[in-house]
Amino acid sequence: MTTAARKKPFSLAKSRRTIQWLAVIGTFVLGLRHIMPGEASRGGSFDSFCAFGGIETLLPYLFTGHLLKSTNLLNFSVLIATLGVALVAGRAFCGWLCGLGAIQDFVAEWTRKLFGERRHIRGKQSKTILPLRLPAIVDRPLRYTKYLVLGIILIASLYAAFPPLREFCPVRAVFSLKMTSLLWLTLGIFLAGSILVERFWCKYLCPLGATLAIFNKISPVRIVSDNNHCNNCGRCDIECSMGIEDVPHNLDHPECVRCMECLNTCARDGSLELKVIAKVK
């Protein structure tokens, strides 16, 4: 068997896809249970289960001792759990556990099939028109928008009664099952963006992603590259849903969502390996 045709001991792609489906189903269940009678007895609002809700209500809680409406202390528990994952494995929450991230991956896959990709061949550039990758001159500055969104939300939270993102939150638009005109508009923009650009929300607008990005530099569980084996074939660049360039030399990039597609698609043994680094640079 040639190196390129070797089989991996288990499929990272299938494992991640299973976990993503579980995350999507679990989030839909949360949305469903909160449209049932007796919402107050079911742990509070849908917003209470959101990690970013913990960030939105953090400053008001620290400065006034009060939480924003539709949030409660459960938000902090979910946030702490999410930060715990990030401390260990960087933005793995975004790539494996986030229902919204999973929906974007599914939409990108379905879009490619809709535009003629019968079977995706790993490491080969798709010939379909959509989803597209924006040119670097447009893509790079847009990546900073999510940090601006995070800053605006933190400032607005000090003067808000409800979480500032609440009325146009894509998580609520996709999963909450309680729709308003603004949420319908948000859902339309989210789906259109996800069709046009793979992981549109994650790349350009997600304030939780902006919060977790720093952890890619300090998390001990990470993929490492061996320059003695890597031949810079570019297969991993093609498979990167976040559009990171020169992946083997940017494995701690803040945009990396730890999806492991680079490891899954690598055709040379020893080029990329998942390791626990005792001492992080």
Side-chain angles (χ1 to χ4, degrees):
M1 181 181 293
T2 63
T3 302
R6 66 182 173 83
K7 292 184 178 180
K8 297 184 182 294
F10 66 95
S11 173
L12 282 171
K14 289 182 179 179
S15 299
R16 186 171 79 97
R17 185 51 53 92
T18 299
I19 293 172
Q20 284 186 305
W21 272 113
L22 290 174
V24 168
I25 293 170
T27 312
F28 268 124
V29 169
L30 282 177
L32 179 62
R33 79 193 288 259
H34 284 90
I35 64 171
M36 302 294 286
E39 178 177 308
S41 65
R42 299 174 186 272
S45 69
F46 178 81
D47 301 352
S48 302
F49 295 83
C50 176
F52 189 67
I55 296 174
E56 290 178 287
T57 199
L58 178 61
L59 292 184
Y61 185 69
L62 291 177
F63 282 97
T64 69
H66 299 288
L67 298 165
L68 295 180
K69 293 180 180 179
S70 81
T71 67
N72 61 36
L73 293 177
L74 178 60
N75 288 99
F76 293 134
S77 299
V78 178
L79 175 61
I80 289 170
T82 303
L83 294 179
V85 172
L87 278 170
V88 174
R91 286 182 66 180
F93 174 85
C94 304
W96 291 70
L97 300 171
C98 176
L100 206 60
I103 291 293
Q104 290 174 92
D105 284 343
F106 300 162
V107 169
E109 180 181 324
W110 297 333
T111 299
R112 281 190 284 266
K113 288 182 178 179
L114 181 64
F115 281 87
E117 183 179 81
R118 295 183 179 180
R119 184 173 67 89
H120 179 63
I121 301 175
R122 290 193 173 278
K124 288 193 176 183
Q125 189 71 53
S126 174
K127 295 181 180 180
T128 60
I129 300 173
L130 297 174
L132 51 81
R133 288 193 177 185
L134 299 181
I137 193 172
V138 177
D139 175 75
R140 287 176 180 172
L142 280 179
R143 301 266 183 166
Y144 292 100
T145 306
K146 58 180 172 288
Y147 299 100
L148 177 61
V149 171
L150 175 61
I152 291 173
I153 288 174
L154 287 176
I155 294 172
S157 70
L158 293 171
Y159 304 95
F162 285 90
L165 190 61
R166 185 175 189 271
E167 294 306 316
F168 40 90
C169 173
V171 178
R172 293 185 68 230
V174 175
F175 296 107
S176 75
L177 306 179
K178 282 186 175 182
M179 300 299 288
T180 64
S181 297
L182 277 176
L183 288 179
W184 279 114
L185 177 62
T186 300
L187 179 61
I189 293 173
F190 171 77
L191 291 176
S194 300
I195 291 170
L196 291 172
V197 180
E198 192 168 4
R199 280 200 173 240
F200 168 83
W201 171 256
C202 298
K203 288 177 180 176
Y204 307 126
L205 295 172
C206 181
L208 181 59
T211 305
L212 300 179
I214 186 62
F215 291 95
N216 279 356
K217 299 290 185 181
I218 62 176
S219 61
V221 177
R222 57 179 60 201
I223 299 174
V224 296
S225 174
D226 186 340
N227 293 330
N228 294 322
H229 292 86
C230 179
N231 64 353
N232 296 306
C233 66
R235 287 170 60 94
C236 47
D237 287 24
I238 291 172
E239 292 301 320
C240 181
S241 62
M242 292 299 288
I244 299 171
E245 298 177 354
D246 194 15
V247 169
H249 298 98
N250 288 289
L251 292 168
D252 62 349
H253 197 286
E255 294 294 304
C256 175
V257 294
R258 299 291 201 254
C259 67
M260 307 294 177
E261 285 299 321
C262 54
L263 180 61
N264 198 54
T265 197
C266 183
R268 293 174 66 90
D269 284 316
S271 296
L272 296 176
E273 292 183 311
L274 183 62
K275 291 185 176 181
V276 177
I277 308 299
K279 185 178 181 180
V280 181
K281 294 181 181 180

